[in-house]
Coordinates of all heavy atoms in Angstrom, one line a residue:
Q103 N 4.0 -10.9 -5.4 CA 3.5 -9.9 -6.4 C 2.4 -9.1 -5.7 O 2.4 -7.8 -5.8 CB 3.0 -10.5 -7.7 CG 2.6 -9.5 -8.7 CD 2.0 -10.1 -9.9 OE1 0.8 -10.4 -10.0 NE2 2.8 -10.3 -11.0
M104 N 1.5 -9.8 -5.0 CA 0.4 -9.1 -4.3 C 1.0 -8.1 -3.3 O 0.6 -6.9 -3.1 CB -0.4 -10.1 -3.5 CG -1.6 -9.5 -2.7 SD -2.4 -10.7 -1.7 CE -2.9 -11.9 -2.9
Y105 N 2.0 -8.5 -2.5 CA 2.7 -7.7 -1.5 C 3.3 -6.4 -2.2 O 3.2 -5.3 -1.7 CB 3.7 -8.5 -0.7 CG 4.5 -7.6 0.2 CD1 4.0 -7.1 1.3 CD2 5.9 -7.4 -0.1 CE1 4.8 -6.3 2.2 CE2 6.7 -6.6 0.8 CZ 6.1 -6.1 1.9 OH 6.9 -5.3 2.7
M106 N 4.1 -6.7 -3.3 CA 4.8 -5.6 -3.9 C 3.8 -4.6 -4.5 O 4.0 -3.3 -4.4 CB 5.6 -6.1 -5.1 CG 6.7 -7.1 -4.7 SD 8.0 -6.3 -3.8 CE 8.9 -5.6 -5.1
I107 N 2.7 -5.0 -5.0 CA 1.7 -4.1 -5.6 C 1.1 -3.2 -4.5 O 1.0 -2.0 -4.6 CB 0.6 -4.9 -6.3 CG1 1.1 -5.5 -7.6 CG2 -0.6 -3.9 -6.7 CD1 0.2 -6.5 -8.3
N108 N 0.6 -3.8 -3.4 CA 0.0 -3.1 -2.3 C 1.0 -2.1 -1.7 O 0.7 -1.0 -1.4 CB -0.6 -4.0 -1.3 CG -1.9 -4.6 -1.7 OD1 -2.9 -3.9 -1.6 ND2 -1.9 -5.8 -2.2
G109 N 2.3 -2.7 -1.4 CA 3.3 -1.9 -0.7 C 3.7 -0.7 -1.5 O 3.8 0.5 -1.0
F110 N 4.0 -0.8 -2.8 CA 4.5 0.2 -3.6 C 3.4 1.2 -4.2 O 3.7 2.3 -4.5 CB 5.4 -0.3 -4.7 CG 6.7 -0.7 -4.2 CD1 7.0 -2.0 -3.9 CD2 7.8 0.2 -4.0 CE1 8.2 -2.4 -3.3 CE2 9.0 -0.2 -3.5 CZ 9.2 -1.5 -3.2
F111 N 2.2 0.7 -4.3 CA 1.1 1.7 -4.5 C 1.0 2.6 -3.4 O 0.8 3.8 -3.6 CB -0.2 0.9 -4.7 CG -0.6 0.7 -6.2 CD1 -1.2 -0.5 -6.5 CD2 -0.3 1.6 -7.2 CE1 -1.6 -0.7 -7.9 CE2 -0.6 1.4 -8.5 CZ -1.2 0.2 -8.8
G112 N 1.0 2.1 -2.2 CA 1.0 3.0 -1.0 C 2.1 3.9 -0.9 O 2.0 5.1 -0.5
S113 N 3.3 3.4 -1.3 CA 4.5 4.2 -1.3 C 4.4 5.4 -2.3 O 4.9 6.5 -2.0 CB 5.8 3.4 -1.6 OG 6.0 2.4 -0.6
E114 N 3.8 5.1 -3.5 CA 3.6 6.2 -4.5 C 2.7 7.2 -3.9 O 2.9 8.4 -4.1 CB 3.1 5.6 -5.8 CG 3.0 6.6 -6.9 CD 3.1 6.0 -8.3 OE1 3.4 4.8 -8.4 OE2 3.1 6.7 -9.2
S115 N 1.6 6.8 -3.3 CA 0.6 7.7 -2.7 C 1.3 8.6 -1.6 O 1.1 9.8 -1.6 CB -0.5 6.9 -2.1 OG -1.4 7.8 -1.4
A116 N 2.1 7.9 -0.8 CA 2.8 8.7 0.3 C 3.8 9.6 -0.3 O 4.0 10.7 0.3 CB 3.4 7.7 1.3
T117 N 4.5 9.3 -1.4 CA 5.4 10.2 -2.0 C 4.7 11.4 -2.5 O 5.2 12.5 -2.4 CB 6.2 9.4 -3.1 OG1 6.8 8.3 -2.6 CG2 7.2 10.3 -3.8
F118 N 3.6 11.2 -3.1 CA 2.8 12.4 -3.6 C 2.4 13.3 -2.4 O 2.4 14.5 -2.5 CB 1.5 11.9 -4.3 CG 1.7 11.4 -5.7 CD1 1.1 10.3 -6.2 CD2 2.5 12.1 -6.6 CE1 1.4 9.8 -7.5 CE2 2.8 11.7 -7.9 CZ 2.2 10.5 -8.3
L119 N 2.1 12.7 -1.3 CA 1.8 13.4 -0.1 C 3.0 14.3 0.4 O 2.8 15.5 0.7 CB 1.3 12.5 1.0 CG 1.1 13.1 2.4 CD1 0.1 14.2 2.4 CD2 0.8 12.0 3.5

Side-chain angles (χ1 to χ4, degrees):
Q103 188 185 82
M104 180 191 299
Y105 172 71
M106 298 290 282
I107 292 170
N108 281 281
F110 283 95
F111 263 145
S113 296
E114 184 151 359
S115 175
T117 304
F118 283 136
L119 171 60

